[in-house]
Amino acid sequence: MRLFTAICFDDETKNALFAAGKEAESSAKGNFSAKENLHLTLVFIGETERAEEIKSAISKIEFPAFDFKISGTGFFEKGIFWAGTEENENLKNLQKLVFEKLKNLGFELEEREFVPHITLARKFKPEENFSAEKTEKLLPEKPVFANRISLMKSERVDGVLRYTEIYSKNLF
């Protein structure tokens, strides 16, 4: 199984993010994220059959629920177009805690700076009239309430990328 941990969004947040992606799609090419797949990855784990160990580790995490704000857009190499977040210590600390729990289980995880983001498109190629500002105007205005950690499975079903929550742990 291909697994990652994430913060999942409520429907209102997903709808706003999806609308922002649709705005970008009007002046760009790429593989745009399906509404049901929109999330913020905390830690990418990769291929493993150790889901039960991961569930057990996540179940032991004690962390308070918190709000964060989605803000701005950006690009990663390899054509990833994303929506970012405002600086948030709780988000950074939660990611670090989950990362350390999984690292202590012996998972080989990428050691890189955490850049919280929501992928809006892959293989993104903006056209000349593309405007990041138009996309950003459609991002959710109200803060996102992070109240649980989700363990997600990534798979292709009939050629379509699908993310499925297989476990979640409520934050307090």
Side-chain angles (χ1 to χ4, degrees):
M1 272 185 284
R2 188 174 169 96
L3 302 177
F4 62 93
T5 60
I7 293 175
C8 295
F9 304 124
D10 62 24
D11 288 339
E12 184 180 346
T13 302
K14 283 183 185 180
N15 288 338
L17 287 164
F18 188 69
K22 280 295 186 191
E23 170 58 40
E25 189 175 14
S26 71
S27 58
K29 305 253 185 282
N31 296 337
F32 287 80
S33 296
K35 183 173 14 179
E36 58 273 12
N37 286 350
L38 293 165
H39 68 279
L40 188 147
T41 300
L42 293 170
V43 178
F44 177 75
I45 301 162
E47 290 292 334
T48 183
E49 296 302 320
R50 297 170 57 194
E52 293 307 313
E53 286 178 69
I54 297 167
K55 290 176 187 179
S56 178
I58 291 172
S59 75
K60 295 177 178 87
I61 291 175
E62 296 295 328
F63 200 89
F66 61 94
D67 290 331
F68 67 93
K69 181 93 171 85
I70 296 172
S71 178
T73 58
F75 304 90
F76 289 135
E77 292 180 21
K78 302 179 186 175
I80 304 291
F81 177 56
W82 48 263
T85 69
E86 289 181 355
E87 192 75 19
N88 186 293
E89 286 304 309
N90 284 320
L91 188 55
K92 284 183 179 180
N93 291 336
L94 177 60
Q95 186 276 339
K96 184 177 179 183
L97 181 61
V98 174
F99 183 91
E100 288 172 355
K101 289 267 187 201
L102 296 173
K103 193 83 170 157
N104 288 340
L105 288 175
F107 285 98
E108 292 182 27
L109 305 172
E110 260 189 73
E111 303 258 359
R112 64 178 178 193
E113 181 185 356
F114 176 57
V115 179
H117 66 279
I118 301 100
T119 300
L120 298 177
R122 291 171 181 74
K123 298 183 182 175
F124 186 78
K125 293 185 178 144
E127 296 170 358
E128 206 171 291
N129 64 338
F130 173 74
S131 168
E133 292 78 21
K134 285 183 181 177
T135 300
E136 290 170 3
K137 284 181 183 175
L138 295 172
L139 293 176
E141 291 187 12
K142 73 174 199 173
V144 174
F145 184 55
N147 62 350
R148 76 179 196 272
I149 304 166
S150 298
L151 178 60
M152 307 293 289
K153 176 173 68 169
S154 171
E155 61 188 337
R156 290 221 173 256
V157 178
D158 297 325
V160 177
L161 185 60
R162 179 172 297 154
Y163 300 142
T164 307
E165 183 181 74
I166 61 172
Y167 177 77
S168 70
K169 162 69 171 160
N170 288 332
L171 302 176
F172 63 88

